[in-house]
Amino acid sequence: MIPRIYIPGDSGALALGAEKVAKAIAKELADRGIEAKIVRNGSRGAYFLEPMVEVATANGRVAYGPVKPSDVKSLFDCGFLTGGHHKRWLGAPDKIPFLAKQTRLTFARCGINDPLSLDAYKSLGGLKGLQNAVAMAPADIVKQVTESGLRGRGGAGFPTGIKWKTVLDTAGDRKYIVCNADEGDSATFADRMIMEGDPFVLIEGMAIAGIATGATKGFVYIRSEYPHAVATMNRAVEVARKAGVLGVNVLGSPNVFDMEIRVGAGAYVCGEETSLLNSLEGKRGVVRAKPPLPAIQGLFGKPTVINNVISLASVPIIMDKGAAFYKDYGMGRSRGTIPIQIAGNVKHGGLFEAAFGMTLGEIVDDIGGGTASGRPVKAVQVGGPLGAYFPRALFDTPFDYEAFAAKDGLIGHAGITVFDDTADMLKQARFAMEFCAIESCGKCTPCRIGSTRGVETIDRLAAGIEPEKNLALVTDLCNTMKFGSLCALGGFTPYPVISSITHFPEDFKPAPTRVAAE
């Protein structure tokens, strides 16, 4: 039996040196005259252990990590091809605590096999959801997705089934499925992991969405900063098309659905669905006023489903296992699992898929292991650059859409950025306003002008100029932006600003007082 060595080709693993490790292993194999097969899988998401190399042995897979090129010779000397012990030995991957504690539904296959092998995908349960869907009436598919409780994982948390039903019930000579893969939030990488590590689950989800709503064409809009994801998705679509998963007879059925990949041009605002549609149509990426909703008049004026990568990638298991199976996970109105992406100043950074309901403290302290610096956690930003900053006093908040909203926060795309006690929250509030000013599409005044005035006002606060007056002005600007902006970019920028002022008032005191307090 030829040994199989698994080395991630995922962007995160590549950034941490996986390509150098792969070349070193290939060279060592050649030098020692050993025949083995190197498989470039995706990452399992434990990035603090990447590059994580796995070997298929008679007793199952054995993992080693984080592996450096300098470790390769000693790995061979220790007999790692048969699971031999080494300082980088981690044991069975599914027994590693960070991975063992997860509930992997959407990411069940991610990081296990060659992401471009359709046979490997099917061997792990892939395409079962689509096989069930082609035998069902569109309305029944929509009903099953609705009953599962699946909500949009891109940030808004809107019920997926309701959006699909709107498109199904809207007449149109052409309908579209658009996948929003413009993952631009800080501390988010779940979409990229799926596209690079398990692309067929996204393709399957989009095909199911097409059959459910009567759409025959799909587009995946990927941010330009994801070249590896773009390449993997393009190749996966070709494989799926040749295998009859896409095309004029999906899996041999009368259903028609095909798709293609489109690349953005680097605008953060194109993560907003109507800006994305404009960009897809070849126009400038600016926000459209609503109504009409994209589900009624979307891409090229046609009924359009716009869903996030994780929303669509969660559909296959719902169609495979049933609505009740999926709905059994979670809490309240937040059903199923959520891929929490842990980043920033944290010891164990990576993707952790779990049912809704874990507390923020459990995620940061128990799963994340606290700060990488070893200093106390001061703040955690949940939901990307537009998310609120939560202090330790709010760490009992469960990961749930409504629970976060009740604390003036938002889950967003479930990215978590950890900060230790050296963070200056006034500077973080300024960054939020500056980010908005730079990324604003410019269409609405509250976002375009409000964010610029916000930077100026916070600078005056930092300089100790009329602190009470300027603090009141920042608060007033935030209210104007929150309720007057056309989209979430201007509307959500107040979250990090107001939460910083509310929970960390000491950082907004005039400079002499702040120095004295320190």
Side-chain angles (χ1 to χ4, degrees):
M1 181 178 173
I2 298 174
R4 296 173 71 88
I5 306 169
Y6 296 84
I7 308 170
D10 167 275
S11 292
L14 293 176
L16 292 165
E19 194 62 35
K20 292 179 180 178
V21 171
K23 289 178 179 178
I25 288 176
K27 183 178 184 301
E28 197 67 24
L29 287 169
D31 290 347
R32 294 182 183 233
I34 299 172
E35 185 181 2
K37 181 175 177 57
I38 294 177
V39 178
R40 302 308 297 271
N41 56 319
S43 173
R44 291 181 186 259
Y47 284 108
F48 62 98
L49 295 175
E50 292 287 7
M52 189 168 82
V53 177
E54 298 177 37
V55 182
T57 73
N59 297 316
R61 299 256 283 253
V62 176
Y64 299 82
V67 176
K68 299 176 182 177
S70 58
D71 295 322
V72 170
K73 189 177 185 305
S74 61
L75 277 170
F76 277 87
D77 291 340
C78 291
F80 98 113
L81 290 178
T82 54
H85 279 268
H86 183 273
K87 64 180 180 180
R88 303 295 185 191
W89 186 89
L90 298 169
D94 55 2
K95 296 293 195 300
I96 296 170
F98 184 86
L99 298 172
K101 294 176 183 177
Q102 298 191 37
T103 302
R104 290 222 160 176
L105 301 183
T106 305
F107 284 77
R109 285 170 293 267
C110 205
I112 294 178
N113 283 319
D114 177 356
L116 291 170
S117 170
L118 190 58
D119 287 338
Y121 179 69
K122 289 191 285 188
S123 73
L124 293 172
L127 296 185
K128 287 185 178 179
L130 182 56
Q131 287 168 351
N132 290 338
V134 296
M136 297 169 65
D140 291 336
I141 300 173
V142 172
K143 182 182 178 184
Q144 188 158 318
V145 172
T146 303
E147 290 178 349
S148 74
L150 178 65
R151 295 167 69 176
R153 298 292 190 253
F158 189 81
T160 304
I162 293 176
K163 186 180 288 188
W164 286 20
K165 188 175 190 307
T166 304
V167 175
L168 173 63
D169 293 344
T170 302
D173 58 350
R174 192 81 190 263
K175 298 180 183 182
Y176 296 100
I177 306 297
V178 174
C179 174
N180 184 346
D182 191 60
E183 187 176 49
D185 283 353
S186 50
T188 58
F189 43 86
D191 294 356
R192 181 187 55 73
M193 270 186 62
I194 282 289
M195 290 187 288
E196 295 181 3
D198 192 17
F200 293 119
V201 77
L202 175 56
I203 292 170
E204 183 179 358
M206 289 185 69
I208 293 170
I211 294 167
T213 60
T216 56
K217 183 74 173 182
F219 295 93
V220 183
Y221 184 95
I222 307 178
R223 65 191 305 236
S224 59
E225 296 88 344
Y226 279 0
H228 295 283
V230 171
T232 302
M233 284 303 302
N234 271 316
R235 291 173 64 191
V237 166
E238 290 176 9
V239 172
R241 195 177 287 132
K242 288 177 181 177
V245 177
L246 298 173
V248 293
N249 300 108
V250 175
L251 292 186
S253 73
N255 297 288
V256 178
F257 187 79
D258 206 351
M259 57 187 284
E260 57 186 82
I261 311 304
R262 294 292 174 87
V263 182
Y268 178 80
V269 76
C270 284
E272 192 279 330
E273 61 183 15
T274 63
S275 296
L276 186 155
L277 291 178
N278 273 339
S279 179
L280 259 181
E281 292 178 5
K283 301 171 184 174
R284 183 174 168 227
V286 295
V287 177
R288 298 178 184 177
K290 301 176 191 176
L293 295 171
I296 309 285
Q297 290 181 33
L299 187 64
F300 304 117
K302 306 296 182 182
T304 304
V305 167
I306 307 178
N307 280 141
N308 164 262
V309 171
I310 305 304
S311 307
L312 290 162
S314 299
V315 169
I317 194 165
I318 292 169
M319 297 309 301
D320 176 17
K321 303 288 187 181
F325 171 85
Y326 192 79
K327 194 174 184 177
D328 192 46
Y329 297 91
M331 65 174 286
R333 290 178 54 224
S334 302
R335 310 313 306 176
T337 59
I338 182 80
I340 301 164
Q341 298 128 92
I342 307 168
N345 187 344
V346 68
K347 190 175 181 181
H348 298 148
L351 182 138
F352 191 91
E353 184 179 1
F356 284 96
M358 291 184 71
T359 66
L360 186 57
E362 288 175 315
I363 296 165
V364 175
D365 296 327
D366 299 342
I367 306 303
T371 64
S373 63
R375 299 181 66 91
V377 175
K378 179 174 182 175
V380 175
Q381 187 177 33
V382 182
L386 308 182
Y389 289 100
F390 275 28
R392 184 164 283 282
L394 295 180
F395 275 21
D396 60 346
T397 308
F399 218 78
D400 162 74
Y401 289 108
E402 282 65 44
F404 265 71
K407 301 287 179 65
D408 295 319
L410 51 93
I411 284 179
H413 192 40
I416 290 181
T417 308
V418 180
F419 297 82
D420 72 11
D421 60 353
T422 62
D424 185 329
M425 302 313 293
L426 182 144
K427 289 181 179 178
Q428 294 304 126
R430 185 191 188 279
F431 170 76
M433 285 291 192
E434 182 184 35
F435 179 83
C436 181
I438 292 169
E439 296 293 346
S440 174
C441 76
K443 185 162 185 177
C444 69
T445 304
C447 176
R448 183 183 72 249
I449 303 300
S451 54
T452 301
R453 295 290 89 86
V455 172
E456 296 168 354
T457 308
I458 293 174
D459 281 343
R460 288 197 292 272
L461 265 174
I465 301 171
E466 299 182 294
E468 291 184 8
K469 178 182 175 181
N470 282 307
L471 202 56
L473 182 55
V474 168
T475 303
D476 186 56
L477 274 170
C478 285
N479 284 328
T480 301
M481 292 174 69
K482 184 176 182 178
F483 298 108
S485 298
L486 270 176
C487 83
L489 177 53
F492 285 1
T493 294
Y495 279 92
V497 178
I498 293 298
S499 61
S500 295
I501 293 171
T502 302
H503 301 304
F504 308 96
E506 65 279 4
D507 285 7
F508 290 82
K509 293 176 182 177
T513 308
R514 292 172 68 194
V515 171
E518 291 170 0

